[in-house]
Amino acid sequence: MSGEVEAVILVWLNRTQDAPCLEAHLARRPEVVDAWWVAADSDAVVRVRCQDMAALDGLVRGLRHHAGAGRTLTHLVLRPFDPHLTRSTNEPLGSHPVTAHLAAAAAAVR
């Protein structure tokens, strides 16, 4: 797969590593768009934009080998949507402008 990819990565730090190690590593990576410390099962959430899947793979490996991440979970971003556009509960799925192309694509596959 080629082309730019965007991902959200959940990061769990090793017990022996501290926050400054991850922060310093992320500060050196131009692919990092946003990063947050979170009160959740994971320790941090990082949003990245990489030139391709190979670059994303390298970035995730770097988190494990150089930034103190004991575990990561990567979610690829498929496409954005506007959460403020709402669909009426009486509207069938696929009738809203945001989801209409999904119904058309599903029909084309059949």
Side-chain angles (χ1 to χ4, degrees):
M1 180 178 202
S2 63
E4 188 176 77
V5 293
E6 188 169 339
V8 176
I9 306 167
L10 305 181
V11 178
W12 288 261
L13 292 175
N14 283 324
R15 296 195 190 284
T16 60
Q17 295 295 327
D18 56 9
C21 182
L22 178 64
E23 290 174 345
H25 181 78
L26 294 178
R28 293 188 301 269
R29 299 302 302 242
E31 305 94 335
V32 174
V33 176
D34 288 305
W36 306 272
W37 293 112
V38 294
D41 182 41
S42 63
D43 296 307
V45 176
V46 182
R47 185 168 66 107
V48 299
R49 191 171 296 126
C50 298
Q51 66 184 16
D52 55 27
M53 290 297 287
L56 176 60
D57 181 56
L59 185 137
V60 171
R61 288 175 186 267
L63 290 173
R64 293 193 198 126
H65 296 291
H66 306 294
R71 178 178 168 219
T72 60
L73 179 62
T74 303
H75 297 278
L76 292 178
V77 174
L78 299 177
R79 63 182 172 80
F81 69 92
D82 186 343
H84 301 290
L85 292 177
T86 58
R87 182 173 59 85
S88 164
T89 55
N90 299 324
E91 260 181 85
L93 185 61
S95 63
H96 191 275
V98 173
T99 59
H101 72 281
L102 295 176
V109 171
R110 289 185 209 145

